[in-house]
Amino acid sequence: MVPENGPKILIIDDELPICKNCIKILSGSATEIDYALNGYDALKLIEQNPYHIVITDLKMSRMGGMEVLSRIKRDFPDITVIVITGFASVSSAVEVMKMGAYDYLPKPFTPHELRAVVTQALNHHQARIQNQQMMSRQKGVPVLSHQLIGSSPQIKKVISMIKKVAHTESTVLIRGESGTGKELVARALHANSNRNDNVFFAVDCGTLTGNLLESELFGYRKGAFTDAHKDKDGIFQIANHGTVFLDEISNISIEVQGKLLRFLDSREFKPVGDTAYRKVDIRLIFATNKDLKQMIKEGTFRNDFYYRIAVYPIDIPPLKKRESDILPIASHFLKLFNQSMGKSISGFDSNAVNRLTAYDWPGNVRQLRNTIERAVILCDTDQISVIDLPHLSDIGDIEKLIDHVPETNAELKKIKQEIRQKSVHKIEENFILNALKKNNWNITRAARATGMQRTNFQNMIKKHSIQIPEK
C-alpha cells in the first residue's frame, strides 16, 4: 500500500556517503528520493515538497535529529519519521519513539533492514492518511443501503459493470464468497434500474426446500397440499414490475431449475395446484458462492439453466484481495454504529488500522461489519484500538491449527509448537496494550504498573510493532 503518485522520501545525514548509499538502497522503493546534510536544509526542503517518509540521523552538527523530529511532528504531522544513529542507546530509542518516530534503526544497518523498515513505514503512513481521509469524508455524507464502498481496481470494475447493465433487462449472475456483498450488488442493480420505484424482493434459496421454494415463488391454490387452506400469491406475483433476487441459486432442485428456466424464456409461471399460467413483468438477479460449472459436471446443476442465468456475470472479489477497501468500509460501518448506538468515536488508532488491514477476513465484508459493531460496543475512548478488536490476528490462526488433525508425530510436534508461539505472542500483545491503555499510553507508568523495567517494556512494544498514539 503506497501513495497513488508514488512515495517521496527525504534522507537527512551530515555524511554524504551515507545519504548516497541510502538513496541507492531505496532506489526501487520511491519515485523521488532527496537528501539534506543538516536539519536546517531538510526543513526548507520539507516546506517546498510534501514528503511521505523522512529518514534522519540523530547526531548532526547543525540541528540534530531530535529537533528535526520535533519540528516535523509539530508542523508536518502527516510525515512518517524514521531515526537512524551510530550512537544507539536504549534511552535515546525510548525518547525518539516517545516523540513520535515511527521506528529507530541503529547503524550500521543492512540494505534489507533499511528496505524492510521503509516498506513498513510506507504502509503505516498510507493507512493512517487513508483513515483520516475516510473519517473526514464520512462527515455529513448520507449512508445509502445500496452504497458500494471502496476505490480498489476490483471494486471499481464491479461498479462499472453495474452501471453498464443496471438500466437493461438482462439477467445477472453475481458470483462471490459468502459475506462479500452479493445482495448489496443486487440492490445497487435495482436502485440504478428503471424499476427502482417498485419492489425489490430478496430470497435465500438455501433456507427453502424444493417444494417450499416453488410455492413461495409461484404461489399456490387452495387444496394444492395439506396446509393450503386458501389461495396465496407467490413472490413473483407480489413483485410484479419489480426485481427478485434469488441468492444461493446452487441450492435449488433440478426440478425447480427447469421451471425457472421456462419462466425466464416466457415470463409465465403456474401456481402450485393451478392449471392456468400467469404472466408477470419482473427482473431476476441470481447469486451463488459455489462453482456452478463444477456442479454441472457432477450432475447437480442444469447446463441449459446455467447459460440462461449467466448472461452477464459479475464476480465480487474477497475482501482480502482488495486491502485498500478495508478502511473505507470499516469507516462506513463505524459511522452507522455511531449513529445507532449514540456514540461519537472519531476513528481508528494506528495499531487498530494495522490490525484491520493485516487481517485476511475469511468472512469478508459481513465479518468486518460484525467486527466494527462489536468494537463500537467495547470502545470507551475517542478512537477504536486493538483492545476493541480482541478476536483478530493470531486467534484465527490458532483455531485453524487446533482444528487441523495431524497425521504424524512430527506434524503433531510442529503444530503444538506453533500454537504455543502464537498463544504467547497474543498474550504478550494484549498484556502490553492493556497496560498502555490503562496508563494513558505513558510507557514509563505502564512499565512501572506491570513491574517491568522500562527498557524491557519498550522492547516488547517494538517486538509487537505497537504504535504509541500522538498526543
Side-chain angles (χ1 to χ4, degrees):
M1 187 188 297
V2 296
E4 287 184 7
N5 298 322
K8 297 178 182 179
I9 298 174
L10 176 64
I11 298 163
I12 314 169
D13 198 298
D14 54 7
E15 296 183 51
L16 182 59
I18 290 179
C19 290
K20 291 187 174 180
N21 192 37
C22 287
I23 291 173
K24 183 178 179 181
I25 292 170
L26 299 173
S27 60
S29 304
T31 56
E32 182 179 333
I33 306 178
D34 298 323
Y35 72 89
L37 298 177
N38 60 71
Y40 290 107
D41 291 344
L43 290 174
K44 290 178 182 177
L45 285 173
I46 292 170
E47 287 177 357
Q48 300 167 5
N49 198 353
Y51 293 97
H52 302 100
I53 304 292
V54 168
I55 303 171
T56 181
D57 189 21
L58 194 59
K59 303 288 185 181
M60 293 182 289
S61 56
R62 296 184 64 202
M63 190 182 290
M66 288 286 195
E67 181 65 18
V68 171
L69 174 60
S70 176
R71 296 273 191 94
I72 289 176
K73 286 300 158 187
R74 184 190 69 192
D75 300 330
F76 311 96
D78 289 339
I79 294 177
T80 300
V81 181
I82 299 169
V83 173
I84 57 175
T85 181
F87 303 92
S89 69
V90 172
S91 60
S92 61
V94 170
E95 187 64 23
V96 298
M97 296 298 282
K98 185 178 178 181
M99 289 175 63
Y102 172 74
D103 210 340
Y104 180 90
L105 194 59
K107 297 178 183 176
F109 47 78
T110 67
H112 173 75
E113 288 173 334
L114 180 60
R115 279 193 292 264
V117 169
V118 169
T119 298
Q120 292 172 0
L122 283 168
N123 289 338
H124 165 77
H125 171 89
Q126 184 67 3
R128 178 163 53 84
I129 298 304
Q130 191 177 36
N131 183 36
Q132 293 170 358
Q133 291 172 344
M134 285 306 108
M135 291 313 300
S136 65
R137 206 177 296 162
Q138 293 274 343
K139 292 178 181 177
V141 177
V143 178
L144 305 177
S145 62
H146 61 272
Q147 189 173 19
L148 293 167
I149 299 167
S151 58
S152 67
Q154 297 95 325
I155 202 65
K156 283 182 178 178
K157 181 179 178 181
V158 171
I159 293 171
S160 174
M161 294 184 75
I162 290 170
K163 288 179 179 178
K164 288 178 181 178
V165 78
H167 67 281
T168 73
E169 292 300 310
S170 296
T171 302
V172 177
L173 175 62
I174 305 168
R175 301 182 295 206
E177 294 179 3
S178 294
T180 49
K182 295 188 288 296
E183 183 173 335
L184 206 62
V185 172
R187 288 185 180 276
L189 286 165
H190 175 73
N192 292 280
S193 74
N194 298 326
R195 299 174 180 269
N196 59 6
D197 289 332
N198 297 297
V199 66
F200 174 89
F201 216 117
V203 182
D204 184 356
C205 299
T207 62
L208 301 171
T209 61
N211 292 335
L212 184 56
L213 177 63
E214 183 180 357
S215 62
E216 286 294 318
L217 294 179
F218 304 140
Y220 53 82
R221 300 281 68 82
K222 180 180 178 180
F225 46 85
T226 304
D227 294 325
H229 301 302
K230 60 180 180 179
D231 292 353
K232 179 184 176 182
D233 285 337
I235 290 169
F236 283 5
Q237 187 69 50
I238 296 170
N240 195 19
H241 304 299
T243 302
V244 175
F245 171 55
L246 298 179
D247 197 7
E248 305 309 345
I249 195 65
S250 59
N251 291 291
I252 68 173
S253 66
I254 293 288
E255 182 182 3
V256 175
Q257 288 175 37
K259 293 183 178 182
L260 283 174
L261 177 60
R262 186 189 187 286
F263 174 79
L264 285 168
D265 289 335
S266 66
R267 299 295 161 175
E268 293 181 341
F269 69 94
K270 186 168 63 174
V272 178
D274 205 343
T275 56
Y277 282 94
R278 294 188 182 187
K279 195 173 186 70
V280 291
D281 172 29
I282 62 170
R283 183 184 192 179
L284 285 180
I285 299 173
F286 299 90
T288 182
N289 64 355
K290 300 285 180 62
D291 184 344
L292 297 183
K293 288 187 177 180
Q294 181 60 37
M295 292 182 65
I296 291 171
K297 293 178 181 178
E298 296 168 354
T300 56
F301 205 85
R302 287 180 58 142
N303 187 61
D304 52 357
F305 182 53
Y306 170 76
Y307 286 108
R308 187 63 183 81
I309 67 174
V311 173
Y312 191 88
I314 296 178
D315 293 311
I316 310 177
L319 190 54
K320 64 185 177 184
K321 291 191 176 179
R322 47 189 183 108
E323 181 186 306
S324 63
D325 291 339
I326 293 173
L327 277 180
I329 296 171
S331 298
H332 168 75
F333 289 142
L334 176 58
K335 181 176 178 64
L336 278 179
F337 294 121
N338 264 340
Q339 291 174 346
S340 65
M341 298 183 195
K343 291 196 172 186
S344 55
I345 301 168
S346 64
F348 308 90
D349 69 22
S350 57
N351 294 304
V353 167
N354 292 338
R355 178 67 60 82
L356 288 169
T357 54
Y359 190 65
D360 64 1
W361 299 105
N364 293 296
V365 178
R366 184 182 295 122
Q367 183 188 10
L368 177 56
R369 178 190 175 96
N370 294 340
T371 296
I372 301 304
E373 181 177 9
R374 178 178 178 179
V376 172
I377 295 171
L378 293 174
C379 184
D380 53 11
T381 60
D382 178 60
Q383 289 189 317
I384 288 175
S385 70
V386 290
I387 294 291
D388 307 312
L389 305 168
H391 62 298
L392 300 186
S393 193
D394 293 323
I395 296 299
D397 293 336
I398 293 170
E399 290 175 348
K400 290 178 184 176
L401 288 169
I402 292 172
D403 290 338
H404 179 72
V405 180
E407 296 184 358
T408 65
N409 187 47
E411 188 181 4
L412 173 63
K413 289 181 179 178
K414 182 180 178 181
I415 290 176
K416 287 167 68 175
Q417 183 180 11
E418 285 187 51
I419 291 175
R420 277 194 294 269
Q421 289 174 345
K422 289 183 180 294
S423 298
V424 169
H425 185 277
K426 184 63 181 172
I427 292 169
E428 282 183 356
E429 184 182 40
N430 287 341
F431 167 74
I432 294 296
L433 287 167
N434 184 60
L436 286 168
K437 192 171 182 182
K438 283 185 175 179
N439 290 278
N440 198 28
W441 297 91
N442 183 290
I443 296 174
T444 301
R445 289 205 302 267
R448 188 183 300 123
T450 57
M452 290 182 68
Q453 292 185 3
R454 191 176 71 166
T455 54
N456 294 338
F457 194 86
Q458 176 70 30
N459 287 337
M460 288 185 74
I461 289 174
K462 191 167 184 179
K463 173 184 175 182
H464 293 280
S465 301
I466 294 170
Q467 300 298 315
I468 306 298
E470 297 174 8
K471 297 181 181 178

